[in-house]
Amino acid sequence: DAGVIQSPRHEVTEMGQEVTLRCKPISGHDYLFWYRQTMMRGLELLIYFNNNVPIDDSGMPEDRFSAKMPNASFSTLKIQPSEPRDSAVYFCASSLVVSGGPWELFFGEGSRLTVL
Amino acid sequence: AQSVAQPEDQVNVAEGNPLTVKCTYSVSGNPYLFWYVQYPNRGLQFLLKYITGDNLVKGSYGFEAEFNKSQTSFHLKKPSALVSDSALYFCAVRGQGGKLIFGQGTELSVKP
């Protein structure tokens, strides 16, 4: 299996521009999570989906952030307009519910976003 | 609310010596606890988990963790550290709905 695939790996953009991050979860997994990692705030859960339905988006910082999962094999995280404080590494992770789980999360390699 | 704390930002160990990375938790109900490792410029990788049963949990790469209910701790251990173990280690607890809540991370540095 190819694992969780994220694109782009690196994105540099200017303040005010729209940013779209993409994620392809592991085939068959039914949970998908978006995390953000910064030095100051550590790992923050932004939003997660179960069977393509958003379950908890309480971690989304503000209305500039939105996430979609149109099907089981694709999710996007969009920031519009972007701001310098959005600079971070964004991780997508997927998991499969087994015996009361989900338990183990499989992370992608991350998308490093720099907003100038 | 579920939470974990990692009291040490950094742990330094000599190669061949035992290592311990500390984690304490705060949960209501039964704790489901995890350790993940992150190598530079990579995503997190699962090491081990505690759900129920034996207090000593064995995981990947020779790591193990000891669950201690009375001390509300879940410390990560390895009998003999390798230079290649140098990485960022995260403790996590399962929250409501299955989401994982991570600690701030501990940077482990193993010197030759």
Side-chain angles (χ1 to χ4, degrees), chain A residues 9 31 33 35 37 40-43 45 48 56 58 91 100-105 107-109 112, chain B residues 32 34 36 38 41-46 49 51 88 90 94 96-104:
Chain A
R9 289 295 312 277
Y31 273 80
F33 303 80
Y35 283 88
Q37 185 178 31
M40 294 297 296
R41 301 174 70 90
L43 270 168
L45 176 63
Y48 72 100
D56 184 349
S58 59
F91 287 103
W103 303 119
E104 179 179 350
L105 266 59
F107 281 78
E109 297 286 87
R112 181 175 295 276
Chain B
Y32 301 129
F34 305 80
Y36 281 76
Q38 185 181 28
N41 300 313
R42 304 294 299 275
L44 279 71
Q45 296 177 33
F46 172 82
K49 66 179 181 284
I51 302 175
L88 190 56
F90 290 93
R94 182 182 170 191
Q96 189 175 7
K99 61 186 179 183
L100 280 194
I101 300 163
F102 288 90
Q104 285 295 101

Side-chain angles (χ1 to χ4, degrees), chain B residues 1 15 23 42 44 49 55 76 94 99 109 111:
Chain B
E15 187 176 31
C23 172
R42 304 294 299 275
L44 279 71
K49 66 179 181 284
N55 290 340
L76 182 70
R94 182 182 170 191
K99 61 186 179 183
S109 177
K111 300 294 186 186

Side-chain angles (χ1 to χ4, degrees), chain B residues 1-95:
Chain B
Q2 326 288 60
S3 66
V4 289
Q6 295 179 242
E8 302 158 317
D9 290 336
Q10 185 163 13
V11 170
N12 297 307
V13 178
E15 187 176 31
N17 283 359
L19 70 87
T20 299
V21 183
K22 296 179 181 178
C23 172
T24 58
Y25 65 89
S26 174
V27 303
S28 53
N30 294 323
Y32 301 129
L33 300 161
F34 305 80
W35 277 101
Y36 281 76
V37 61
Q38 185 181 28
Y39 298 100
N41 300 313
R42 304 294 299 275
L44 279 71
Q45 296 177 33
F46 172 82
L47 278 179
L48 51 80
K49 66 179 181 284
Y50 172 82
I51 302 175
T52 186
D54 289 342
N55 290 340
L56 188 63
V57 179
K58 293 190 181 297
S60 306
Y61 313 123
F63 284 93
E64 56 191 26
E66 186 171 10
F67 172 71
N68 187 317
K69 188 173 183 178
S70 63
Q71 298 186 3
T72 62
S73 67
F74 188 57
H75 300 333
L76 182 70
K77 301 181 178 185
K78 187 173 184 181
S80 178
L82 300 172
V83 172
S84 57
D85 292 330
S86 298
L88 190 56
Y89 290 81
F90 290 93
C91 182
V93 63
R94 182 182 170 191

